Every structure is written in structure tokens, then in C-alpha cells.
């Protein structure tokens, strides 16, 4: 059974709660902007900075996170239940799926394929993808789900900023 266990203090101390389903509003559970460490068992989870799965986001895969640095400002949590096999994302140079495009099926440093700081829209055709503003999985993240096409990065503050992409992989 997949779950996330959250703690109000670093090092897995303080008040704690265990969630096995999406949490649309952490304020209702007494954990809005209060998570300082967490543990993920099973499926990955996405933490959002605003309720109802909007705003900046951060993905957490199975493991323990004793210190979250500046990422404790979470207001909602979403468990990834999507199929992770056969990942595929299509990145486009311009908004509304126009211009030069590239199809990716594996983790890619976009500088290596001359597509860094270029993408302005995308379509996820399979799997769940994480786009990063920095190379080597660094910087802000954009988590994108199958069928969740993003026609315009300008609206979400991610235009021409992606430098690295990777699919979340299924557990072996």
C-alpha cells in the first residue's frame, strides 16, 4: 500500500500524519505549510504549494526526506497512480504545440540535444514526467501527467526554462 507520512519537524519528529489518498487541502488536516520532513512508501507523491493541486510543485519518490529545506510550504498532496510504463513526452519550441519539436522516451539533459531553454509547450503521451529548470534534476519542477497537455508555459512561469526532463519510472 502506497502512502506518505508527514512530520511537522525535521528528522521525523513533531506532529505526524499518514495519508493514503490525495489531500486537496492540508489546512483541513492541520498540516498546511507545516511539513518539515516526510517518508514515502510505494508510489511517488507530488506536493503542491497551493491547495487543490496548483502552484509550484515538488515530486517525492519512495524514500525518507529528513530535511525539506525551503519546500515545507505545501498545501496539497497528490499520489501518483498513473501508469509509468512506456513514457513519452513531446516538447515544442513555441506555445500551442508549434515550431520545432522533439519526442523523448528517457531522461534527457536538454542541453545535449540543443533544446535547453527552448520548450514553450508539451504533450505527455505516456508516463508521468518531471521537467526541471536546472540541469541534472536541479531547480524548480513541473510535474506533468498523461493527457495533461500544457499549451503555454508563459501562463505557468516555465516558458523557455526547461533544461532537464525525466520520466518517473515504475518500481522493479
Amino acid at each position: 500500500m502506497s502512502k506518505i507520512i508527514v512530520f511537522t519537524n525535521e528528522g521525523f519528529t513533531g506532529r505526524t500524519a499518514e495519508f493514503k489518498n490525495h489531500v486537496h487541502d492540508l489546512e483541513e488536516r492541520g498540516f498546511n505549510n507545516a511539513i518539515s520532513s516526510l517518508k514515502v512508501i510505494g508510489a511517488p507523491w507530488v506536493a503542491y504549494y497551493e491547495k487543490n493541486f496548483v502552484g509550484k510543485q515538488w515530486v517525492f519518490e519512495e524514500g525518507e526526506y529528513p530535511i525539506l529545506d525551503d519546500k515545507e510550504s505545501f498545501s496539497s498532496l497528490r499520489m501518483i497512480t498513473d501508469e509509468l510504463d512506456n513514457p513519452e513526452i513531446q516538447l515544442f519550441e513555441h506555445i500551442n504545440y508549434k515550431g520545432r519539436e522533439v519526442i523523448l522516451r528517457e531522461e534527457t539533459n536538454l542541453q545535449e540535444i540543443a533544446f535547453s531553454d527552448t520548450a514553450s509547450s508539451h504533450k505527455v503521451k505516456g508516463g508521468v514526467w518531471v521537467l526541471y529548470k536546472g540541469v541534472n534534476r536541479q531547480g524548480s519542477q513541473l510535474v506533468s501527467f498523461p493527457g495533461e497537455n500544457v499549451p503555454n508555459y508563459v501562463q505557468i512561469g516555465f516558458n523557455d526554462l526547461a533544461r532537464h526532463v525525466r520520466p518517473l519510472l515504475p518500481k522493479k
Side-chain angles (χ1 to χ4, degrees), residues 17 57 64 85 151:
Q57 51 204 249
E64 296 185 351
D85 291 321

Side-chain angles (χ1 to χ4, degrees), residues 118-158:
T118 298
S120 295
S121 58
H122 75 263
K123 294 180 180 180
V124 173
K125 298 180 178 247
V128 175
W129 286 79
V130 184
L131 292 79
Y132 298 87
K133 284 188 178 180
V135 294
N136 300 320
R137 300 184 183 187
Q138 298 298 310
S140 298
Q141 301 177 358
L142 172 64
V143 182
S144 199
F145 296 85
E148 187 177 84
N149 300 327
V150 182
N152 187 349
Y153 286 177
V154 175
Q155 296 170 339
I156 57 172
F158 218 82

Side-chain angles (χ1 to χ4, degrees), residues 4-106:
I4 189 169
I5 306 164
V6 299
F7 302 84
T8 55
N9 297 333
E10 294 179 353
F12 316 115
T13 60
R15 283 188 309 112
T16 186
E18 182 177 296
F19 303 112
K20 296 179 182 176
N21 295 303
H22 304 321
V23 181
H24 292 269
D25 186 355
L26 282 166
E27 187 171 19
E28 292 176 352
R29 308 289 182 95
F31 281 87
N32 191 51
N33 298 327
I35 300 171
S36 296
S37 59
L38 60 86
K39 296 178 182 182
V40 173
I41 298 167
W45 286 73
V46 181
Y48 294 84
Y49 286 65
E50 296 176 35
K51 62 183 175 180
N52 296 317
F53 317 126
V54 278
K56 288 174 43 180
Q57 51 204 249
W58 204 265
V59 68
F60 292 97
E61 295 176 271
E62 187 167 46
E64 296 185 351
Y65 301 84
I67 300 174
L68 296 181
D69 301 323
D70 65 339
K71 296 180 274 297
E72 63 276 336
S73 298
F74 303 134
S75 294
S76 56
L77 300 169
R78 177 179 179 181
M79 181 171 54
I80 296 177
T81 58
D82 302 88
E83 179 65 46
L84 299 179
D85 291 321
N86 303 314
E88 184 176 317
I89 189 169
Q90 187 175 14
L91 300 174
F92 296 87
E93 181 179 20
H94 302 301
I95 64 171
N96 299 319
Y97 319 117
K98 305 274 190 231
R100 191 167 52 109
E101 64 185 75
V102 62
I103 295 175
L104 302 171
R105 294 180 181 86
E106 61 188 15

